[in-house]
Amino acid sequence: MAAEIQPKPLTRKPILLQRVEGSQEVVNMAVIVPKEEGVISVSEDRTVRVWLKRDSGQYWPSIYHVMPSPCSCMSFNPETRRLSIGLDNGTISEFILSEDYNKMTPVKNYQAHQSRVTMIQFVLELEWVLSTGQDKQFAWHCSESGQRLGGYRTSAVASGLQFDVETRHVFIGDQSGQVTILKLEQENCTLVTTFRGHTGGVTALCWDPVQQVLFSGSSDHSVIMWNIGGRKGTAIELQGHNDKVQALSYAQHTRQLISCGGDGGIVVWNMDVERQETPEWLDSDSCQKCDQPFFWNFKQMWDSKKIGLRQHHCRKCGKAVCGKCSSKRSPIPLMGFEFEVRVCDSCHEAITDEERAPTATFHDSKHNIVHVHFDATRGWLLTRELTRLLSCGI
């Protein structure tokens, strides 16, 4: 009996394996072909390409298919080799790829949206095709009959889509910064809740079905971990990027989150640690350490004959403090602050070296990453930079 190969945690610096180039315009999405040295890509130039590695070591298209409209997104199911492609005209086109990945056979078209399809997800267990579009519509279709089963209008254009098969909950992140949770039935849906924690638009979503945790990346440079399964409403913020977060991927076996940003940063977060929720910032008219008045507290300024000070907040305890009482900086990794942040002097003394130990590793890809796909079995990370696909091994 063969031993099961367990994926190892991502600890090494990413090594560039191969550049795959050739598209004339923007490559909108790409995935690694499982068990093959290959990549599937869809592009703004209307092409669908399957790139396979040749004996020369270079990747060349084994399939080059031109669609009637620019390709905006896709979903690939390795088990059935079903490829669902979203188009700029609102159509979703389905194909089956041959076993040798040298041929793609048309299956059906869905008239899913009135404008550009933004996200697709094929759910094999239910034979559903989920999609969102620039028409602010979420829709789901039966992949067997092609029939539209239902829809829901979102508050803004959706930019993230995830689905939990067991509970039939769909998670939709949009450009307003809101995440919507819907409960799907065969022909109707129910709004479960909406929540908002980002100050910018949601750019990516990632779901861990085992821990029942949702991750959202945003243009506000942050990632938020939402504890859905715990039903406690816990939201933990992860700060590790200097630019907008544009792509997320989750390595379930090792419980590591991969976030990629416009600054070229690749951050690998260890999610197998006991993280802490950041405290709410307290309101006060004076420093909660030295009692000096803040500049709007005219009465105390007059009574004490003191000049009002600017208000700050300690990221560790949340207290309102003055600059003198919060002159120190410290990382607080368990609260998601991998960079140094403002803390009050007493919290700075209380934070131990163990609590300052990083829970994430940082890597520079040297290019603006807008899409990512991770193959956990081989440790391959595929990143997309406009017209280039970069495959990296971690």
Side-chain angles (χ1 to χ4, degrees):
M1 179 176 171
E4 182 181 358
I5 299 175
Q6 292 292 340
K8 297 179 180 179
L10 314 177
T11 55
R12 296 187 294 114
K13 179 181 178 181
I15 301 170
L16 179 64
L17 296 178
Q18 189 75 43
R19 280 189 172 90
V20 182
E21 301 178 274
S23 296
Q24 300 302 311
E25 293 188 38
V26 173
V27 175
N28 284 316
M29 197 169 285
V31 297
I32 299 170
V33 179
K35 301 178 182 179
E36 297 279 349
E37 292 203 57
V39 172
I40 304 171
S41 68
V42 296
S43 174
E44 202 69 29
D45 64 7
R46 300 190 296 143
T47 62
V48 180
R49 309 185 196 203
V50 179
W51 309 80
L52 296 181
K53 193 173 184 179
R54 307 303 183 183
D55 293 338
S56 64
Q58 298 298 312
Y59 283 80
W60 292 94
S62 62
I63 294 176
Y64 181 99
H65 184 85
V66 179
M67 301 296 292
S69 181
C71 306
S72 53
C73 57
M74 70 169 171
S75 174
F76 179 64
N77 182 267
E79 295 179 47
T80 61
R81 299 187 307 281
R82 185 192 300 256
L83 180 64
S84 306
I85 303 168
L87 302 181
D88 187 65
N89 62 11
T91 302
I92 297 174
S93 297
E94 277 192 352
F95 299 85
I96 297 294
L97 301 185
S98 61
E99 289 187 28
D100 60 4
Y101 291 94
N102 283 307
K103 181 182 179 182
M104 54 191 288
T105 304
V107 178
K108 63 171 65 72
N109 291 323
Y110 307 87
Q111 298 302 319
H113 297 275
Q114 298 298 314
S115 56
R116 186 181 180 92
V117 182
T118 56
M119 300 295 294
I120 304 176
Q121 188 163 350
F122 171 65
V123 184
L124 177 62
E125 294 84 350
L126 300 170
E127 291 290 339
W128 285 354
V129 178
L130 316 180
S131 64
T132 58
Q134 283 190 347
D135 56 3
K136 300 182 183 179
Q137 287 286 334
F138 161 74
W140 73 104
H141 291 75
C142 173
S143 62
E144 293 181 319
S145 66
Q147 178 184 356
R148 181 185 173 98
L149 298 177
Y152 180 87
R153 184 168 179 83
T154 56
S155 60
V157 175
S159 46
L161 178 65
Q162 292 287 290
F163 183 72
D164 183 63
V165 175
E166 185 177 343
T167 63
R168 297 193 180 185
H169 284 152
V170 64
F171 307 96
I172 306 168
D174 65 45
Q175 293 178 0
S176 73
Q178 179 173 289
V179 176
T180 301
I181 304 180
L182 303 173
K183 169 80 170 181
L184 299 190
E185 302 297 344
Q186 188 61 30
E187 295 184 354
N188 61 74
C189 68
T190 305
L191 175 64
V192 177
T193 188
T194 61
F195 47 86
R196 186 188 297 268
H198 292 289
T199 57
V202 174
T203 53
L205 291 181
C206 197
W207 173 244
D208 176 5
V210 176
Q211 302 297 325
Q212 296 278 291
V213 168
L214 180 71
F215 300 97
S216 60
S218 171
S219 58
D220 65 7
H221 306 183
S222 74
V223 177
I224 295 181
M225 182 182 81
W226 308 88
N227 186 356
I228 306 295
R231 301 184 182 277
K232 297 178 181 178
T234 306
I236 294 176
E237 196 169 329
L238 305 176
Q239 296 280 359
H241 288 274
N242 292 313
D243 203 338
K244 57 185 176 182
V245 178
Q246 299 187 132
L248 296 174
S249 187
Y250 188 69
Q252 189 172 305
H253 290 84
T254 57
R255 293 197 63 189
Q256 289 176 298
L257 177 72
I258 304 168
S259 61
C260 303
D263 57 357
I266 300 175
V267 184
V268 182
W269 305 86
N270 178 13
M271 303 311 299
D272 196 21
V273 294
E274 192 71 29
R275 293 192 176 272
Q276 304 166 12
E277 195 170 12
T278 52
E280 290 190 19
W281 286 3
L282 302 178
D283 290 326
S284 179
D285 292 328
S286 58
C287 176
Q288 294 180 301
K289 292 293 182 180
C290 67
D291 201 38
Q292 284 270 59
F294 292 133
F295 64 83
W296 60 83
N297 189 352
F298 297 115
K299 185 179 186 304
Q300 188 177 347
M301 288 164 58
W302 177 263
D303 292 343
S304 62
K305 301 296 188 292
K306 293 180 179 179
I307 298 174
L309 303 176
R310 182 182 173 188
Q311 183 189 70
H312 302 281
H313 284 90
C314 172
R315 300 319 192 257
K316 182 82 167 73
C317 65
K319 288 183 178 180
V321 289
C322 66
K324 185 178 179 180
C325 293
S326 59
S327 59
K328 305 287 177 47
R329 302 288 186 275
S330 173
I332 320 174
L334 293 179
M335 283 187 169
F337 298 115
E338 293 289 335
F339 303 146
E340 289 190 343
V341 291
R342 181 186 294 272
V343 292
C344 66
D345 293 351
S346 55
C347 281
H348 188 271
E349 292 177 8
I351 299 173
T352 64
D353 290 340
E354 185 178 347
E355 290 176 314
R356 288 190 175 93
T359 61
T361 57
F362 297 82
H363 314 281
D364 185 7
S365 69
K366 302 189 185 305
H367 67 276
N368 181 343
I369 300 176
V370 291
H371 174 72
V372 66
H373 181 244
F374 181 62
D375 182 345
T377 59
R378 291 179 286 188
W380 286 8
L381 185 69
L382 179 71
T383 65
R384 191 269 285 178
E385 175 210 358
L386 296 181
T387 58
R388 286 195 311 191
L389 306 177
L390 300 182
S391 181
C392 303
I394 298 184

